[in-house]
Amino acid sequence: MKTVVIGGGAAAFFAAINTKEHFPNSEVVLFEKTSKLLSKVLVSGGGRCNVTNSETSISSFSKCYPRGEKQLKKLFGTFNNHHTIKWFESRGVELVAEQDGRMFPKSNRSQTIYDLFLSETERLGIKIQLKSGINSIKQEGEKINLEVNGQNLLFDKVIVCTGGSPKLEGFNWIKTLGHKIENPVPSLFTFNIPNENITKLMGLSVPNAIVSIQGTKLKNKGSLLITHWGMSGPAVLKLSSFGSRMLSDQKYDFNINISWCGESNFEGVKEYFQDVIRANTKKKLFNIRPFNFPKRLWSYLLQRSEILEEKPWGELGKKQLNKLVQTICNDTYWVKGKTTFKEEFVTCGGISLEGINMKTMESKHIKNLYFAGEILDIDGVTGGFNFQAAWTTAFIASKLN
Ligand SMILES: Cc1cc2nc3c(=O)[nH]c(=O)nc-3n(C[C@H](O)[C@H](O)[C@H](O)COP(=O)(O)OP(=O)(O)OC[C@H]3O[C@@H](n4cnc5c(N)ncnc54)[C@H](O)[C@@H]3O)c2cc1C
């Protein structure tokens, strides 16, 4: 049996290695368009490669995929993050979890993953051909005909792992096979907030903010990071992922509401403040920081509510208190534009899952043709979920069922 894996990224290597392990007598070849292998793996997670996430329940894990949740939930029954951890560990690469669940190689270097994949392909005798972009795929009886470097080659099985494309035209060669393509748009980006003083707080992180997109049900609670151009951090990145298509349609021009204290119930927050006032009548506002707000944030919120920091708590009038509570639990910002999140970005969209047998990853249009990785209309939030989708789909495709 001759199998070809198209691509030289995470999904392709995982597919090639596992195919050879499942079918030791088969010939496995990997074709990569460029002269480089595993480029994204090397830069991933800021050079540390966030391989997967330690989240324990399959149900919660699957919820981290705005596209592909339902299908992945089933696939995780066969190959999930625990399998990933064992897969790497059994090959000498220990993965270590950080407090937020992200898992990295113990070395903290992406190079470790790169080296492992390269040594595994060598050990298994997988052939790698660089500068070999596939231009077309055709079915020829039971076999598949690939056009590469001006030649036409026949294979028994083909696994396509060519990654996402920011443009629809990038999928033209697949479209001709009868597969529907979901329009690609960016996911995982940060919000630009022009003309606002908030960016003066750059570098400040608020652990439990609630960020919501006005006029939608999209809402997320988590850590919010102020940057010199706007807002980032897990709370924002998750929203960018779940709202990616809608925000693209809105041309990245929308309003967000923020609860800085992680509670959006106005009356509840007001009661909390009334207790603070009773306990600190004579003390100055800047000396008592509610919700353990960082000093710079508290000072900013008072300024934004047009209240003097020097004022004693007991002299806070009813109108001022309402304004302060409003700022703290329902602050509004205009977002205009987005910025690429350098540590991880992915494309939402790609090959529609409708045309794929989601038990085997085989094309419903062409027999013996399989898909894995970011080329599919599957993407996750930040935290190791995108690589996990690549490992899972590649492992299942490598069974060639
Ligand atoms: C900067 C950055 C950091 C990231 N960090 C993380 C992280 O820490 N954790 C995480 O989970 N996710 C991360 N991601 C996302 C993750 O890298 C991707 O989801 C993952 O790499 C997808 O793997 P893939 O193999 O499907 O595609 P890719 O990695 O894009 O690989 C596709 C390969 O196919 C080749 N190719 C394309 N067309 C052809 C063709 N016609 N013929 C032959 N070869 C072709 C390409 O040249 C490429 O080498 C990051 C992404 C970026 C951009």
Side-chain angles (χ1 to χ4, degrees):
M1 182 171 75
K2 263 178 118 178
T3 302
V4 67
V5 179
I6 312 177
F13 269 83
F14 213 69
I17 293 166
N18 286 298
T19 300
K20 189 69 186 173
E21 292 201 327
H22 292 140
F23 305 94
N25 296 326
S26 70
E27 187 185 332
V28 180
V29 189
L30 185 146
F31 285 127
E32 161 58 42
K33 180 170 72 171
T34 68
S35 56
K36 289 193 182 125
L37 295 167
L38 297 162
S39 319
K40 279 197 197 167
V41 166
L42 284 172
V43 296
S44 67
R48 295 166 66 212
C49 190
N50 180 192
V51 179
T52 187
N53 195 284
S54 65
E55 172 60 60
T56 46
S57 108
I58 286 186
S59 178
S60 314
F61 207 104
S62 316
K63 287 207 168 66
C64 295
Y65 295 89
R67 280 133 314 254
E69 175 191 342
K70 209 173 72 205
Q71 293 85 348
L72 278 175
K73 197 172 174 184
K74 289 192 186 132
L75 299 183
F76 286 148
T78 306
F79 197 91
N80 56 46
N81 53 333
H82 300 289
H83 297 101
T84 302
I85 296 164
K86 275 196 203 129
W87 194 95
F88 282 94
E89 215 169 69
S90 66
R91 288 164 181 81
V93 174
E94 192 187 333
L95 303 181
V96 180
E98 302 211 328
Q99 245 181 1
D100 58 7
R102 291 178 306 155
M103 297 195 80
F104 297 90
K106 200 176 175 189
S107 65
N108 259 330
R109 293 173 67 234
S110 310
Q111 188 70 38
T112 305
I113 305 298
Y114 177 96
D115 292 345
L116 172 70
F117 282 161
L118 268 280
S119 67
E120 283 292 275
T121 43
E122 204 183 325
R123 175 179 72 80
L124 294 163
I126 295 164
K127 285 187 214 142
I128 296 177
Q129 279 192 223
L130 298 175
K131 295 188 183 163
S132 302
I134 304 297
N135 297 321
S136 79
I137 300 181
K138 277 186 223 124
Q139 189 161 30
E140 223 174 281
E142 288 282 293
K143 301 222 181 240
I144 295 185
N145 183 325
L146 297 184
E147 190 201 321
V148 54
N149 296 338
Q151 277 186 299
N152 280 85
L153 304 172
L154 282 184
F155 291 92
D156 298 296
K157 305 271 183 182
V158 173
I159 308 177
V160 185
C161 307
T162 48
S165 162
K167 291 195 181 137
L168 199 54
E169 302 85 83
F171 294 97
N172 279 349
W173 64 296
I174 300 289
K175 219 172 157 183
T176 56
L177 304 175
H179 279 274
K180 182 180 158 202
I181 311 294
E182 301 294 347
N183 198 17
V185 295
S187 181
L188 294 180
F189 48 84
T190 68
F191 296 169
N192 293 359
I193 306 204
N195 316 319
E196 282 280 4
N197 275 336
I198 185 81
T199 52
K200 290 196 180 123
L201 301 182
M202 66 180 175
L204 190 133
S205 172
V206 184
N208 263 321
I210 300 175
V211 187
S212 47
I213 296 177
Q214 255 182 30
T216 76
K217 285 184 180 159
L218 290 175
K219 188 188 244 196
N220 196 249
K221 187 173 184 177
S223 179
L224 174 71
L225 175 71
I226 316 293
T227 64
H228 68 271
W229 63 88
M231 291 180 191
S232 179
V236 163
L237 290 163
K238 210 166 176 180
L239 274 187
S240 79
S241 183
F242 278 89
S244 55
R245 201 163 288 288
M246 187 194 72
L247 298 178
S248 159
D249 291 345
Q250 292 186 9
K251 305 213 165 8
Y252 307 103
D253 189 342
F254 54 97
N255 286 325
I256 53 170
N257 291 340
I258 295 179
S259 161
W260 296 101
C261 64
E263 171 58 70
S264 42
N265 175 336
F266 183 92
E267 288 308 322
V269 175
K270 195 170 167 183
E271 268 174 38
Y272 168 89
F273 270 97
Q274 277 157 347
D275 287 345
V276 176
I277 292 171
R278 273 192 288 275
N280 302 286
T281 335
K282 298 235 160 74
K283 291 193 181 132
K284 292 188 172 153
L285 285 166
F286 73 81
N287 279 333
I288 303 292
R289 280 181 280 132
F291 299 107
N292 272 333
F293 282 144
K295 219 173 185 171
R296 283 197 297 155
L297 177 64
W298 178 225
S299 176
Y300 165 83
L301 292 171
L302 285 170
Q303 266 176 39
R304 195 162 168 82
S305 313
E306 295 168 333
I307 299 170
L308 290 174
E309 296 182 352
E310 302 288 329
K311 203 179 232 286
W313 277 94
E315 288 178 25
L316 202 59
K318 203 173 154 192
K319 247 184 170 172
Q320 283 181 317
L321 176 61
N322 284 343
K323 192 158 183 183
L324 182 61
V325 173
Q326 181 68 15
T327 308
I328 283 170
C329 65
N330 200 14
D331 204 4
T332 301
Y333 292 87
W334 172 50
V335 177
K336 178 84 180 120
K338 61 170 174 52
T339 298
T340 305
F341 177 53
K342 300 282 182 329
E343 292 235 336
E344 179 175 353
F345 53 91
V346 287
T347 339
C348 137
I351 297 195
S352 164
L353 305 185
E354 283 169 21
I356 311 277
N357 175 343
M358 290 307 291
K359 284 188 183 131
T360 61
M361 305 314 296
E362 189 177 17
S363 161
K364 286 184 183 167
H365 303 277
I366 303 223
K367 199 165 174 248
N368 295 324
L369 181 71
Y370 300 79
F371 292 96
E374 212 184 307
I375 188 172
L376 297 162
D377 183 26
I378 291 181
D379 62 276
V381 301
T382 184
F385 297 97
N386 286 300
F387 276 140
Q388 185 56 55
W391 315 137
T392 299
T393 50
F395 184 85
I396 289 167
S398 76
K399 291 182 159 195
L400 304 174
N401 280 329

